[in-house]
């Protein structure tokens, strides 16, 4: 059984650019959630996908969007990057209402 | 408002001393409470959840609905307990997505 994986591990972008982050869920997990963790803060919920549909969203603007694929892997897309988007982006997967398992994160730096 | 508050950014204790990491929450409804831990260079992982009422690595946490608290305790700290600890909550029951609301975290430093 493999755990949650994320790619890339690090990324540097400039303001105004677009970025796509990827997440492979743990085997058997059908729900994927994305979190943003700014430096010195706890993770903040961005949105969640279940069976390829978004079924929950936090207080993030529409330029944060996502996808879930039939194999339950997921992407987080951020358009028109801003300096404040610099953060660690965490993906978590789970099966039903069971425990969420987190990936190692992607560290995004926006210059 | 749904909120988790961890009042201490840093808690420093000596090995063998008791530890209490504080967590208070605000939630309209019936929440499920969790403690997550992140050791150096490792991913965030679940330490314990209140509904399972178990002790993990000697840590326990009791949900106090009257005080809206879920403090994490360990009677004798070990150096390997040094890590960042996050308290989190999610809603329970149908209609809840299971999203986690995290506190800002407390760094536990156990000195030899």
């Amino acid at each position: 059984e493999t755990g949650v994986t994320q790619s890339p591990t690090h990324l540097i972008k400039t303001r105004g650019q677009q970025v796509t982050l990827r997440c492979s869920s743990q085997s058997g997990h059908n729900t994927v959630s994305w979190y943003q963790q700014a430096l010195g803060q706890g993770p903040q919920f961005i949105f969640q996908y279940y069976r390829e549909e978004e079924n929950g969203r936090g207080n993030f603007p529409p330029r944060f969007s996502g996808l879930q694929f039939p194999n339950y892997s997921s992407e987080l897309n951020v358009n028109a990057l801003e300096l404040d988007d610099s953060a660690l982006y965490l993906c978590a997967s789970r099966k039903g209402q069971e425990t969420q398992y987190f990936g190692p994160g992607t560290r995004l730096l926006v210059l | 408002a749904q909120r988790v508050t961890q009042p201490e950014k840093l808690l420093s204790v000596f090995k063998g001393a008791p530890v209490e990491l504080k967590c208070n929450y605000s939630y309209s409804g019936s929440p499920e409470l969790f403690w997550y831990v992140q050791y150096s260079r490792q991913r965030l992982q679940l330490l314990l959840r209140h509904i399972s009422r178990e002790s993990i690595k000697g840590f326990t946490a009791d949900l106090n609905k009257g005080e809206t608290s879920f403090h994490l305790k360990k009677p004798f700290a070990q150096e390997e307990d040094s890590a960042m600890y996050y308290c989190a909550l999610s809603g329970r029951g149908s209609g809840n997505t299971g999203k986690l609301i995290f506190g800002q975290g407390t760094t536990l430093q156990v000195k030899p």
Side-chain angles (χ1 to χ4, degrees), chain A residues 4 37 41 48 55 94 99, chain B residues 43 49 86 97-98 100 104:
Chain A
V4 179
Q37 186 173 19
Q41 304 292 318
Q48 176 173 282
N55 78 334
R94 62 189 168 100
T99 300
Chain B
R43 63 185 66 190
R49 57 199 298 181
Y86 293 97
T97 61
L100 291 168
Q104 291 194 313

Side-chain angles (χ1 to χ4, degrees), chain A residues 5-67:
Chain A
T5 60
Q6 293 185 241
S7 63
T9 55
H10 298 83
L11 204 50
I12 300 175
K13 292 284 188 179
T14 55
R15 270 187 307 175
Q17 285 189 310
Q18 177 265 343
V19 70
T20 298
L21 310 182
R22 294 178 176 82
C23 171
S24 290
S25 59
Q26 187 160 317
S27 177
H29 289 188
N30 55 14
T31 302
V32 173
S33 302
W34 286 91
Y35 293 82
Q36 181 195 65
Q37 186 173 19
L39 201 61
Q41 304 292 318
Q44 273 197 290
F45 177 75
I46 303 174
F47 45 54
Q48 176 173 282
Y49 280 83
Y50 171 68
R51 293 187 175 179
E52 303 177 57
E53 297 280 333
E54 183 183 296
N55 78 334
R57 190 176 183 93
N59 190 25
F60 281 81
R63 59 189 185 84
F64 285 77
S65 63
L67 283 173

Side-chain angles (χ1 to χ4, degrees), chain B residues 20-32:
Chain B
E20 184 179 49
L21 297 168
K22 291 184 167 39
C23 172
N24 289 90
Y25 66 91
S26 172
Y27 189 81
S28 55
S30 183
E32 184 171 2

Side-chain angles (χ1 to χ4, degrees), chain A residues 93-106:
Chain A
S93 74
R94 62 189 168 100
K95 181 180 177 182
Q97 295 297 314
E98 295 177 7
T99 300
Q100 294 197 39
Y101 290 86
F102 283 82
T106 293

